[in-house]
Amino acid sequence: MSHQYPSLQHDNTLGLEVGAYQRVIADTPATILRAWQEAKENNRPLLLLGEGSNVLFLEDFTGTVVLNRIKGIEITEQDEAWQLHVGAGENWHALVELTLKKGIPGLENLALIPGMTGSSPIPNIGAYGVELKDVCDYVDVLHLDTGVTQRLRREECAFGYRDSIFKHQYQQGYAITAVGLSLSKKWQPVLTYGDLMRLNPATVTAWEVFNAVCHMRQSKLPDPKVTGNVGSFFKNPLISREQANQLMLSYLNMPHYPQANGEVKLAAGWLIDQCDLKGFRLGGAAVHQQQALVLINADRATSQDVVALARTVRARVGEKFDVWLEPEVRFIGAQGECNAVEAIL
């Protein structure tokens, strides 16, 4: 009799009908270690998931999926800042709300980013001018082969744009168990993007920033509980100053953000929109009508539908602008993570 794979449909926000050989809910580091040892003994792969809000399963996973549900929030007040120690299994948006209710500002620009706190350092989550690295103090990492927990300070995490050491050296064989945040008492509102630019920096409160961010996100991003999606599907591309200048000659209103290193960041959603792809559909997958950066599960989409749609979007943008988009979402094959760009070539 064949082994019945437990469903992961409710463990990935795209809502794809995929399964895994085994599904484990872990509320302690010890549970994660046990699952790891058992998977190793049986020569099966293991995948750690938070809320599955940044993964695309390409097929059923042949190993163990461990859902990290380690809880706990400790807040310590110091002279200059509040220090937070947050379990990896705490919901990120709930944490943002909790801090504001306790009169601790600093996370408001990162409201409504889906997923768990433990996942936040992996892509160095960011929105509306703030990134996790701006508030991160440390990340506690469990080395699954030795059972030893190591504390990586912010400067050891190699944070970059949608990047960190947790996508590289610490990707395999490690589990994030907690994240330490430091929120300064000298609060400075960050009002550099979108509707936030309309707020008065002299009088604005953290709650007003929070409400504006929630409004912006809700107006253009579908709720994954209603329509399956993984938020922004593609990274905002970085191109050379020369290429940006060339494009500006043809597209005067092209949003562009010069970076400190001389590169220029473009808005992937705008590029896709210029290719008239809003609402474009392949099988059960579609480009969202309001926000071109979001690919949605419109009607019982398969993994193949989403991959085909991503491939088409990338090709259209590449043909029009000679800018080649890279997925922000992690692609998961039967044995584990695979190269997302190669998957949509």
Side-chain angles (χ1 to χ4, degrees):
M1 192 180 131
S2 68
H3 175 84
Q4 182 67 47
Y5 274 33
S7 170
L8 299 175
Q9 189 173 10
H10 298 296
D11 300 322
N12 75 99
T13 60
L14 263 168
L16 298 176
E17 289 184 22
V18 289
Y21 183 84
Q22 188 181 21
R23 177 180 175 275
V24 174
I25 296 173
D27 54 5
T28 65
T31 311
I32 299 176
L33 277 175
R34 266 201 308 279
W36 170 258
Q37 281 151 1
E38 190 184 308
K40 256 185 104 165
E41 282 162 19
N42 292 296
N43 214 8
R44 277 199 291 271
L46 178 138
L47 177 71
L48 275 162
L49 271 194
E51 288 182 350
S53 59
N54 197 37
V55 291
L56 167 60
F57 282 97
L58 302 177
E59 56 199 312
D60 285 345
F61 187 67
T62 57
T64 303
V65 166
V66 177
L67 302 166
N68 188 336
R69 297 292 180 264
I70 298 169
K71 301 284 193 206
I73 300 173
E74 296 161 30
I75 301 175
T76 314
E77 185 174 352
Q78 295 181 338
D79 293 346
E80 304 290 315
W82 287 276
Q83 305 294 339
L84 281 70
H85 179 87
V86 187
E90 292 284 353
N91 176 275
W92 175 262
H93 177 70
L95 172 70
V96 175
E97 273 196 310
L98 175 82
T99 55
L100 289 176
K101 282 175 180 159
K102 290 189 178 293
I104 303 172
L107 299 180
E108 56 283 335
N109 292 57
L110 302 174
L112 275 185
I113 293 180
M116 294 293 190
T117 300
S119 307
S120 65
I122 302 170
N124 179 27
I125 59 168
Y128 302 111
V130 176
E131 291 182 324
L132 183 82
K133 70 174 171 61
D134 303 325
V135 292
C136 183
D137 188 23
Y138 59 80
V139 178
D140 284 351
V141 184
L142 175 65
H143 191 312
L144 296 171
D145 276 333
T146 63
V148 173
T149 298
Q150 177 187 4
R151 177 161 291 184
L152 293 178
R153 293 282 161 197
R154 171 177 43 194
E155 50 280 2
E156 297 175 285
C157 294
F159 286 127
Y161 173 63
R162 298 294 176 268
D163 200 24
S164 72
I165 200 167
F166 309 107
K167 283 191 168 184
H168 305 285
Q169 295 96 304
Y170 283 83
Q171 188 185 349
Q172 293 295 331
Y174 298 89
I176 293 172
T177 55
V179 176
L181 304 174
S182 181
L183 300 176
S184 171
K185 290 185 174 179
K186 292 193 181 72
W187 179 66
Q188 289 282 323
V190 179
L191 308 173
T192 45
Y193 281 84
D195 295 351
L196 300 181
M197 294 164 86
R198 298 187 200 144
L199 299 173
N200 180 348
T203 58
V204 72
T205 67
W207 274 114
E208 286 172 325
V209 176
F210 171 88
N211 289 329
V213 167
C214 290
H215 178 74
M216 283 189 286
R217 289 188 79 96
Q218 283 164 335
S219 66
K220 64 182 184 181
L221 296 172
D223 180 348
K225 292 185 184 69
V226 181
T227 305
N229 74 91
V230 284
S232 304
F233 195 91
F234 295 100
K235 297 176 187 175
N236 288 322
L238 292 163
I239 63 171
S240 70
R241 152 79 37 218
E242 297 74 41
Q243 189 182 0
N245 288 342
Q246 278 302 115
L247 284 170
M248 300 289 289
L249 296 174
S250 309
Y251 304 95
L252 300 176
N253 65 338
M254 180 179 76
H256 61 288
Y257 307 95
Q259 304 295 297
N261 64 0
E263 290 183 307
V264 177
K265 187 193 286 185
L266 303 183
W270 184 88
L271 297 170
I272 297 166
D273 199 11
Q274 297 307 300
C275 299
D276 294 324
L277 285 167
K278 272 186 184 166
F280 177 78
R281 187 158 167 174
L282 273 178
V287 177
H288 191 244
Q289 199 68 51
Q290 269 81 44
Q291 169 52 283
L293 194 48
V294 177
L295 306 188
I296 61 169
N297 180 349
D299 182 23
R300 295 198 296 279
T302 64
S303 306
Q304 290 71 32
D305 292 342
V306 180
V307 170
L309 180 62
R311 184 180 291 131
T312 303
V313 169
R314 182 177 192 266
R316 295 264 186 101
V317 170
E319 284 156 21
K320 189 175 178 83
F321 296 100
D322 195 27
V323 173
W324 298 90
L325 298 179
E326 296 188 5
E328 185 177 307
V329 60
R330 298 166 61 201
F331 282 41
I332 311 293
Q335 292 280 314
E337 188 157 359
C338 45
N339 186 303
V341 174
E342 285 173 11
I344 60 169
L345 284 177

